[in-house]
């Protein structure tokens, strides 16, 4: 296939645009595509997927105003910025935005909320045990919430609204 | 280490002698790590990135666990040289096209690479040919511990290793295996594989091709969940259950092709060879597609006069940056297609 602009070289960039619901295809060679300012995107990044997931979550929650207020004192991160590229600004953000991140973590990690892998040299096992005890009560609650939320999602997906209503009430009670 | 030393030969992990290598091309484990007391990359100034780069570069270069390693200051290299490292799977596209101070420490044997200031401060990877994840895990775990003794990682007892993107949180581990599955493709069973992978929280993506499309039936299977799992467990699951099962399905599919209609199979393989032997212009897309068919034919014993090593080599050397660096000049798409066809004819005739 020939390039639509120079009509000399072979078209190697194939672009499909949807403008006002109408589909438009262009076939260009690399040089003309670059001149037209078409960036050649090679991979769909996981971050992009995640940002759209986050955006969807926020809309569903309808609590946007409440969430954008916090600012991390270390790196200046806000949930607003996070939503754009799904990247946090510093380790502290995991504390500051813990509540906002909870659902994202559940979704990304299949409901797991506690690290079970290796620990770096220099971090004592005792410190971990103490921390775990402190968190135990809270964690159990979090895990219950996570599993309820998951079951609720599933019930809604199955259109089992009776069960969904029950689960929603249980969730409210726990929260 | 000079880059044109790399570009003329095949990567060590592309090794036909390694376990299950007719179907499993390579195994890779990646760990994402960040330094405590520093901001993540997206909020760092160039000065801060420079400081992180200096700390990690010096730490890694000083490790006695690693020998024959070289530092690449990525912004100092041309686009073509960066592309070469991407094509050899030593750095990510992200690191190649990123901004600000960043670099990579790469072992001469290409079985270890550390990317500094990619999405996280540090991304370690260890590679091996065929199915060899246990070995990769032991190696990367030792290197990670050695680095962890010299610098302090951002770590929380509850959430594990803290990463810039929450999808890598916890272990920061990505176990991935590159698979060649032409049999499953030809018997129309890929969809089934993708669905069951999704059920197991695994990601499948096409390799070698651009975007999500898999050109040449190469797929990369990797874990998605990184929090609340144990590294050894996930490595063991991949090595002893998941991958052997997929290999078994692929073999069954290939057997089915031979039994059901060997003419269709042989026709496809012979046509691939004929075009590769005589084309004067060939795109990377077409070359990948045909080399994939030929590779299957050789592995199934339908073609005997060409070694699998030659095919593996051609996969590597016909990639755009490889062609250009080996030729010593920048080429446009059409010039590359001519040179690619020349390279193929020279090796196969």
């Amino acid at each position: 296939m020939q390039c639509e602009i120079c009509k000399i070289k072979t078209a190697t960039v194939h672009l499909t645009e949807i403008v006002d619901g109408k589909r438009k295809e262009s076939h260009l060679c690399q040089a003309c595509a670059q001149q037209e300012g078409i960036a050649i995107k090679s991979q769909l990044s996981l971050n992009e997927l995640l940002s759209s997931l986050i955006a969807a979550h926020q809309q569903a929650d309808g609590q946007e105003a409440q969430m954008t207020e916090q600012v991390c004192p270390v790196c200046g991160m806000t949930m607003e910025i996070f939503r754009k590229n799904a990247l946090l600004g510093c380790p502290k953000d995991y504390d500051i935005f813990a509540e906002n991140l909870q659902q994202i973590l559940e979704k990304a990690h299949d409901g797991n909320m506690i690290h079970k892998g290796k620990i770096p040299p220099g971090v004592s096992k005792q410190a971990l045990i103490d921390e775990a005890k402190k968190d135990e009560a809270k964690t159990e609650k979090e895990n219950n919430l996570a599993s309820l939320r998951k079951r609720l999602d599933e019930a809604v997906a199955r259109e089992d609204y009776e069960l969904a209503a029950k689960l929603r009430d249980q969730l409210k009670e726990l929260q | 280490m000079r880059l044109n030393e790399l570009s003329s030969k095949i990567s060590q992990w592309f090794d036909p002698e390694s376990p299950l290598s007719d179907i499993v091309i390579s195994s890779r484990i990646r760990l994402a790590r960040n330094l405590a007391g520093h901001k993540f990359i997206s909020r760092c100034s160039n000065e801060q990135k420079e400081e992180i780069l200096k700390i990690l570069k010096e730490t890694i270069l000083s490790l006695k666990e690693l020998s024959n390693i070289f530092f690449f200051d990525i912004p100092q290299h041309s686009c073509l040289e960066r592309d070469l490292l991407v094509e050899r799977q030593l750095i990510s596209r992200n690191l190649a096209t990123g901004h600000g101070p960043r670099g990579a420490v790469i072992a001469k044997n290409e079985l270890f690479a550390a990317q500094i200031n990619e999405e996280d401060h540090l991304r370690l990877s260890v590679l091996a040919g065929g199915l060899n994840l246990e070995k990769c895990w032991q190696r990367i775990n030792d290197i990670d511990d050695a680095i962890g003794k010299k610098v302090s990682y951002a770590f929380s007892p509850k959430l594990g290793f803290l990463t810039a993107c929450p999808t890598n949180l916890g272990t920061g581990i990505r176990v991935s295996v590159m698979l060649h599955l032409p049999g499953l493709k030809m018997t129309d069973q890929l969809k089934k594989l993708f669905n069951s992978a999704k059920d197991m929280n695994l990601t499948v993506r096409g390799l070698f091709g651009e975007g999500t499309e898999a050109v040449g039936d190469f797929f990369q299977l990797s874990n998605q969940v990184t929090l609340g799992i144990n590294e050894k467990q996930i490595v063991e699951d991949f090595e002893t259950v998941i991958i052997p099962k997929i290999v078994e399905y692929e073999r069954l599919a290939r057997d089915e092709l031979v039994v059901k209609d060997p003419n269709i199979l042989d026709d496809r393989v012979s046509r691939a060879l004929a075009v590769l032997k005589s084309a004067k212009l060939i795109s990377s897309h077409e070359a990948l597609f045909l080399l994939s068919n030929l590779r299957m034919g050789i592995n199934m014993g339908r073609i005997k006069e060409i070694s699998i090593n030659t095919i593996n080599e051609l996969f590597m050397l016909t990639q755009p940056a490889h062609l250009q660096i080996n030729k010593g000049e920048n080429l446009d798409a059409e010039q590359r297609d001519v040179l690619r066809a020349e390279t193929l004819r020279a090796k196969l005739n």
Side-chain angles (χ1 to χ4, degrees):
Chain A
M1 190 183 296
Q2 256 178 8
C3 169
E4 287 169 4
I5 297 181
C6 66
K7 308 234 190 290
I8 303 169
K9 289 190 186 150
T10 318
T12 52
V13 178
H14 309 279
L15 185 73
T16 309
E17 283 178 294
I18 297 178
V19 184
D20 298 330
K22 277 186 197 143
R23 192 183 158 94
K24 187 186 161 234
E25 282 184 24
S26 341
H27 306 280
L28 311 172
C29 72
Q30 213 166 1
C32 292
Q34 258 166 17
Q35 266 178 10
E36 292 288 292
I38 297 166
I40 301 164
K41 213 168 176 185
S42 59
Q43 277 169 13
L44 183 68
S45 83
L46 196 61
N47 292 0
E48 263 171 59
L49 278 176
L50 187 66
S51 352
S52 45
L53 184 76
I54 299 162
H57 257 275
Q58 307 293 359
Q59 273 172 0
D61 287 351
Q63 297 168 338
E64 215 158 328
Q66 212 186 335
M67 288 189 170
T68 48
E69 278 164 9
Q70 275 165 312
V71 179
C72 172
V74 178
C75 67
M77 178 58 69
T78 63
M79 279 317 272
E80 180 93 42
I81 306 173
F82 174 67
R83 237 171 287 144
K84 281 187 192 130
N85 60 5
L87 293 173
L88 292 167
C90 73
K92 185 92 187 144
D93 291 349
Y94 280 103
D95 284 339
I96 307 242
F97 305 110
E99 269 179 47
N100 301 335
L101 289 174
Q102 169 126 358
Q103 282 196 19
I104 294 163
L105 292 181
E106 277 171 19
K107 199 122 192 167
H109 300 290
D110 199 31
N112 296 329
M113 298 300 286
I114 305 289
H115 178 58
K116 287 192 185 133
K118 71 179 278 189
I119 52 170
V123 174
S124 79
K125 285 233 162 81
Q126 192 53 46
L128 289 185
I129 294 166
D130 293 348
E131 188 78 21
K133 274 191 188 143
K134 212 167 66 190
D135 272 343
E136 214 164 306
K138 210 174 135 202
T139 305
E140 203 182 315
K141 190 180 153 191
E142 277 169 11
N143 282 343
N144 284 340
L145 279 172
S147 103
L148 275 174
R149 269 196 212 108
K150 203 174 164 199
R151 283 169 59 202
L152 178 59
D153 280 347
E154 285 164 2
V156 172
R158 278 200 312 271
E159 299 185 3
D160 183 348
Y161 297 115
E162 200 177 324
L163 179 64
K166 255 188 222 160
L167 291 169
R168 186 201 54 207
D169 294 342
Q170 284 178 24
L171 254 174
K172 266 191 191 156
E173 213 169 285
L174 253 178
Q175 274 170 335
Chain B
M1 181 167 58
R2 290 166 50 136
L3 283 170
N4 51 11
E5 269 174 56
L6 288 183
S7 63
S8 58
K9 60 179 200 280
I10 187 166
S11 301
Q12 201 176 311
W13 49 260
F14 219 149
D15 171 18
E17 301 301 318
S18 38
L20 303 180
S21 69
D22 54 333
I23 293 168
V24 187
I25 309 282
S26 64
S27 301
R28 168 198 291 266
I29 296 183
R30 178 272 267 163
L31 294 176
R33 299 286 185 256
N34 288 277
L35 297 177
H38 292 263
K39 285 188 243 177
F40 293 145
I41 295 301
S42 69
R43 307 294 288 174
C44 274
S45 65
N46 275 350
E47 288 73 39
Q48 290 164 328
K49 286 188 194 173
E50 195 70 65
E51 194 191 334
I52 295 164
L53 180 63
K54 188 166 177 281
I55 296 171
L56 287 171
K57 174 189 161 185
E58 283 171 8
T59 305
I60 296 170
L61 288 177
S62 74
L63 293 183
K64 63 176 186 335
E65 284 77 5
L66 292 165
S67 57
N68 252 320
I69 48 173
F70 299 86
F71 176 72
F72 291 86
D73 189 5
I74 296 296
Q76 298 287 323
H77 288 274
S78 69
C79 289
L80 208 52
E81 288 172 332
R82 295 180 207 173
D83 283 349
L84 181 84
L85 294 174
V86 175
E87 286 177 4
R88 296 186 80 81
Q89 312 209 10
L90 294 168
I91 66 170
S92 67
R93 176 75 47 208
N94 216 351
L95 190 80
T97 58
H99 301 282
R102 61 200 192 283
V105 179
I106 294 170
K108 192 169 183 192
N109 64 13
E110 298 180 85
L111 300 180
F112 165 80
Q115 301 182 71
I116 305 170
N117 291 351
E118 206 247 20
E119 186 179 288
D120 292 295
H121 297 156
L122 179 62
R123 290 261 171 117
L124 295 169
S125 19
V126 166
L127 284 101
L131 184 58
N132 241 324
L133 287 165
E134 298 275 0
K135 198 174 109 192
C136 290
W137 168 245
Q138 279 170 17
R139 179 87 178 121
I140 203 167
N141 191 30
D142 288 347
I143 297 170
D144 180 47
D145 281 345
I147 299 171
K149 278 180 192 149
K150 297 193 172 199
V151 301
S152 155
Y153 283 141
F155 179 83
S156 130
K158 186 183 162 201
L159 295 175
F161 292 93
L162 303 174
T163 51
C165 183
T167 50
N168 297 315
L169 186 66
T171 53
I173 196 171
R174 193 76 71 214
V175 173
S176 44
V177 173
M178 202 210 296
L179 299 157
H180 185 215
L181 305 173
L184 289 176
K185 170 77 175 293
M186 275 181 82
T187 51
D188 242 344
Q189 296 183 84
L190 279 176
K191 200 154 185 200
K192 223 159 66 185
L193 171 71
F194 290 175
N195 286 339
S196 43
K198 210 173 127 204
D199 289 342
M200 291 187 288
N201 288 312
L202 303 174
T203 311
V204 190
R205 66 181 189 94
L207 261 198
F208 279 131
E210 301 266 299
T212 47
E213 192 193 357
V215 184
D217 313 323
F218 287 93
F219 298 91
Q220 182 169 292
L221 190 78
S222 46
N223 67 303
Q224 204 175 340
V225 172
T226 55
L227 179 63
I229 56 157
N230 176 277
E231 296 92 344
K232 277 192 197 134
Q233 189 62 50
I234 184 120
V235 166
E236 203 183 300
D237 286 351
F238 263 73
E239 184 130 315
T240 61
V241 185
I242 300 169
I243 303 300
K245 201 85 210 162
I246 297 176
V247 168
E248 190 190 317
Y249 287 141
E250 171 66 20
R251 289 209 208 286
L252 284 174
R254 291 183 185 187
D255 290 347
E256 191 189 313
L257 289 172
V258 177
V259 175
K260 251 188 167 171
D261 210 336
N263 287 334
I264 293 185
L265 175 71
D266 287 336
D267 180 67
R268 188 179 276 224
V269 176
S270 318
R271 276 170 191 272
L273 181 58
V275 173
L276 290 168
K277 269 182 162 176
S278 51
K280 297 285 192 288
L281 268 177
I282 193 162
S283 69
S284 60
H285 188 291
E286 189 182 2
L288 277 172
F289 174 76
L290 297 173
L291 282 170
S292 166
N293 285 340
L294 192 53
R295 190 176 192 276
M296 171 180 69
I298 296 169
N299 276 329
M300 291 172 72
R302 314 303 286 186
I303 285 195
K304 302 220 162 60
E305 69 269 26
I306 299 166
S307 79
I308 205 72
N309 215 18
T310 305
I311 302 301
N312 288 353
E313 202 175 5
L314 285 170
F315 273 116
M316 210 89 225
L317 303 184
T318 56
Q319 298 180 95
H322 276 78
L323 285 174
Q324 294 174 78
I325 287 186
N326 287 333
K327 178 86 176 170
E329 55 188 284
N330 284 317
L331 305 169
D332 67 20
E334 194 172 323
Q335 291 169 319
R336 291 201 299 270
D337 291 353
V338 173
L339 183 59
R340 182 175 297 113
E342 257 174 49
T343 310
L344 287 162
R345 290 200 309 272
K347 284 269 179 200
L348 293 174
N349 283 306

